[in-house]
Amino acid sequence: LCLLQASRLEDLRVKLENEGLVNISYVVVNHQGTYSQRKFHLLKESVSDYITVYQQDEQQADVWTTLNGNKDDFLIYDRCGRLVYHLGLPYSFLSFPYVEESIKIAYCENKCGNCSYT
């Protein structure tokens, strides 16, 4: 699932960029488990250099636990660093429109009033 999702995220990144949504940061967080760590190179190969792939260390606190999420979730932040959407399964499957729409809303709408970034 991770490799397919990563490939689809790359496709989504290109699509959004072609629609003029630029300067979006994408980060894939690889699971801490041994199996996931062995597949890290395949995960990195599934995306371009425009998507950061972060490998957690087995000894560190789990990123997903820290963020109150799960490994297949999408966390979408606005340009001020505020969490706007937290999408879990099945809404995080990139074959559905939820992630794309959430990114577009976070990118295009003024949720908090006046913003120096618009």
Side-chain angles (χ1 to χ4, degrees):
L1 177 66
C2 273
L3 296 176
L4 179 59
Q5 280 284 89
S7 174
R8 287 183 175 162
L9 182 59
E10 178 62 30
D11 294 342
L12 177 59
R13 183 198 67 77
V14 170
K15 178 183 181 195
L16 293 175
E17 189 172 285
N18 288 337
E19 292 177 7
L21 281 74
V22 295
N23 296 323
I24 298 174
S25 298
Y26 299 87
V27 178
V28 173
V29 178
N30 197 27
H31 189 264
Q32 285 177 298
T34 305
Y35 177 78
S36 295
Q37 286 190 4
R38 282 196 302 251
K39 299 291 184 182
F40 178 72
H41 69 284
L42 294 175
L43 187 58
K44 278 198 66 87
E45 291 171 4
S46 298
V47 297
S48 70
D49 291 338
Y50 296 105
I51 297 178
T52 301
V53 181
Y54 176 74
Q55 176 59 63
Q56 300 185 74
D57 186 279
E58 285 186 73
Q59 310 308 316
Q60 78 182 79
D62 178 50
V63 169
W64 293 113
T65 302
T66 303
L67 298 173
N68 295 317
N70 295 304
K71 72 175 190 70
D72 294 313
D73 290 0
F74 270 84
L75 295 126
I76 299 171
Y77 295 86
D78 67 10
R79 62 191 77 203
C80 297
R82 292 176 297 238
L83 179 64
V84 179
Y85 292 101
H86 181 161
L87 302 170
L89 292 174
Y91 303 102
S92 60
F93 284 124
L94 288 171
S95 54
F96 296 134
Y98 304 110
V99 172
E100 179 178 350
E101 290 303 313
S102 298
I103 291 171
K104 287 180 176 179
I105 290 168
Y107 190 93
C108 297
E109 290 189 10
N110 238 350
K111 289 231 173 239
C112 60
N114 286 340
C115 183
S116 62
Y117 290 108
T118 55

